[in-house]
Amino acid sequence: MAYVPDFVAREPLAEGKLLPVLESASTRQGMFQILWATNRHMVPRLRVFIDFLGQHLHRE
């Protein structure tokens, strides 16, 4: 049994590999943040990573 963010278990739940339990006890609160050192120019691979997070973490 584990309590993890929905994006961690989304696919296994959809595939029936995992079953949700204690759903009434879970909350959908929280914040996900990403921090990086400031720089005048963002490294392209960082931009790709940020775009990836934005696309995959907010799917419903």
Side-chain angles (χ1 to χ4, degrees), residues 16-50:
K17 294 179 180 178
L18 294 177
L19 298 174
V21 294
L22 302 173
E23 288 182 273
S24 62
S26 66
T27 61
R28 294 192 51 88
Q29 299 181 61
M31 183 182 306
F32 190 84
Q33 296 179 347
I34 180 171
L35 303 173
W36 62 90
T38 58
N39 189 343
R40 293 181 73 174
H41 305 286
M42 185 179 296
V43 180
R45 65 180 172 228
L46 178 59
R47 177 81 260 163
V48 169
F49 179 64
I50 292 169

Side-chain angles (χ1 to χ4, degrees), residues 4 17 43 52 56-57:
V4 297
K17 294 179 180 178
V43 180
F52 173 83
H56 291 84
L57 295 184

